[in-house]
Amino acid sequence: MVRMIGTRLTERFGLSHPIIGAPMAFASGGALAAAVSGAGGLGFIGGGYGDGDWLEAEFAKAGNQTVGVGFITWALAEQPDLLSHALARSPKAVFLSFGDPAPYVDEIKATNAALICQVQTLRDARHAIACGADVIVAQGAEAGGHGERRATLTLVPEVADYIAKHAPDVLLCAAGGIIDGRALAAALMLGADGVVVGSRLLASAEALAHDNAKAAIVAADGDATMRTGVVDIVRGKDWAARYTGRVLRNGFTDQWHGREDELRADKAEAARWAEALAAGNTDIANTFVGEGAGLIHTIQPAADIVAEILAQATQLLRGAKDFLK
Ligand SMILES: Cc1cc2nc3c(=O)[nH]c(=O)nc-3n(C[C@H](O)[C@H](O)[C@H](O)COP(=O)(O)O)c2cc1C
């Protein structure tokens, strides 16, 4: 494969493109991870909250393809053995997000797996670097799934400046709103070595999401998402208040966002939401996706998505000199 955009990330991980497929809980299985890696990026299995049997099955689906694995850090504490099981599958990297990576660093560093830490603030970037992260992912609030409040456009260069000054060997990726080649090119200009793509790959053929959820993403514009905690309440997920999930707004969020205490007391709503999720009823069960939904117009094989992002970014970077008068 011809390398069209080479960065420190492609060098360090032996990739053809500086594109990482996000470890999306429940959605990034072995097939999606393998497709992203097969297309020249680095795909991740989304270990999420942790389910050993599921993880085993998804690693098997990835076959011989090199992939990484991600976990929601605070949830790992409830199942410490899971990390050892995942490391036994020789992942290229472990991607930790949402919580303190410190308790897991030694075990990861004792293997060949790289440590990737996704952060939402400069403070957490500093901490992850002090812990020994090989790659920092600076995640802006436009991202799908869980996150915080800072924007990609300012968080990425601020972390880039910090890394340049204090930890020049650490790599940096941008996450949040990376949908097409424009965002990849922009992220490189902001000082990133690569990008983490979530929402765009959720609307792929290989993603483990209901077809109705994928169709809802294609139908949505970027105004249609919101950050909320109500979906975690009905799913019984004990997230710290600083993190909220970005989802497609619907009748359920219209009814309950802002009435969280009442929702906690209403157990029937949890069952109604879970049934709707299984049935693909997106009017009740919210779809986790970022503001970039407004830029997603097709459901395609992941390899085609990666190729399109790369082709557009390459064209834009080649044309960048035209701005110079
Ligand atoms: C459906 C979905 C599930 C996600 N699950 C996780 C997860 O389990 N762990 C994690 O670190 N990040 C998760 N994320 C966030 C991604 O790692 C990434 O930051 C985000 O998708 C990037 O923004 P984008 O969606 O605009 O591409 C998830 C994102 C989505 C859309």
Side-chain angles (χ1 to χ4, degrees):
M1 201 177 296
V2 181
R3 179 174 297 166
M4 289 187 282
I5 299 177
T7 68
R8 298 193 305 165
L9 186 79
T10 59
E11 295 293 325
R12 185 87 63 94
F13 287 86
L15 310 178
S16 301
H17 320 308
I19 296 175
I20 287 176
M24 295 180 281
F26 308 114
S28 303
L32 177 55
V36 172
S37 291
L42 181 58
F44 277 78
I45 295 175
Y49 302 91
D51 174 337
D53 293 342
W54 183 89
L55 210 55
E56 197 65 30
E58 296 305 325
F59 265 111
K61 285 181 203 163
N64 292 328
Q65 194 59 253
T66 301
V67 298
V69 63
F71 292 104
I72 292 168
T73 317
W74 62 259
L76 258 188
E78 291 158 19
Q79 299 188 71
D81 289 351
L82 217 57
L83 179 61
S84 322
H85 288 141
L87 287 169
R89 305 301 306 255
S90 305
K92 186 90 176 169
V94 177
F95 188 122
L96 296 180
S97 194
F98 314 119
D100 185 1
Y104 310 106
V105 174
D106 287 349
E107 190 177 354
I108 296 167
K109 294 269 171 182
T111 71
N112 289 325
L115 172 61
I116 301 183
C117 292
Q118 180 164 257
V119 300
Q120 294 75 29
T121 61
L122 181 68
R123 184 192 160 131
D124 284 346
R126 277 198 207 112
H127 176 66
I129 290 166
C131 284
D134 299 298
V135 181
I136 296 292
V137 178
Q139 185 210 39
E142 38 298 52
H146 285 82
E148 287 196 55
R149 299 194 307 200
R150 295 229 23 205
T152 307
L153 195 65
T154 51
L155 183 61
V156 172
E158 194 178 354
V159 176
D161 287 348
Y162 181 84
I163 286 175
K165 196 164 176 196
H166 301 284
D169 291 338
V170 173
L171 306 189
L172 173 64
C173 288
I178 314 292
I179 304 297
D180 57 26
R182 292 176 290 187
L184 169 55
L188 297 178
M189 292 299 127
L190 293 176
D193 300 294
V195 293
V196 172
V197 178
S199 295
R200 182 62 191 98
L201 289 167
L202 185 58
S204 70
E206 293 89 346
L208 301 173
H210 198 286
D211 284 348
N212 294 354
K214 295 182 188 179
I217 294 170
V218 170
D221 65 24
D223 299 343
T225 75
M226 67 185 294
R227 304 207 71 95
T228 184
V230 298
V231 177
D232 292 325
I233 293 173
V234 283
R235 298 189 310 164
K237 302 294 186 199
D238 197 14
W239 281 84
R242 60 182 279 198
Y243 303 113
T244 51
R246 186 175 288 285
V247 299
L248 283 183
R249 230 186 99 178
N250 63 8
F252 185 81
T253 43
D254 287 351
Q255 187 180 352
W256 291 110
H257 184 73
R259 295 172 57 207
E260 284 77 5
D261 288 341
E262 279 175 76
L263 181 60
R264 268 186 208 98
D266 190 337
K267 299 300 171 209
E269 281 300 273
R272 189 169 77 99
W273 197 94
E275 274 165 32
L277 181 70
N281 181 350
T282 56
D283 293 335
I284 298 171
N286 306 81
T287 303
F288 280 90
V289 71
E291 287 183 353
L295 301 168
I296 298 172
H297 309 299
T298 53
I299 297 157
Q300 289 168 256
D304 293 355
I305 291 171
V306 170
E308 279 187 12
I309 293 173
L310 188 80
Q312 189 184 25
T314 305
Q315 193 186 11
L316 288 170
L317 291 168
R318 284 204 181 112
K321 63 180 186 324
D322 297 344
F323 288 109
L324 301 172
K325 301 295 178 210

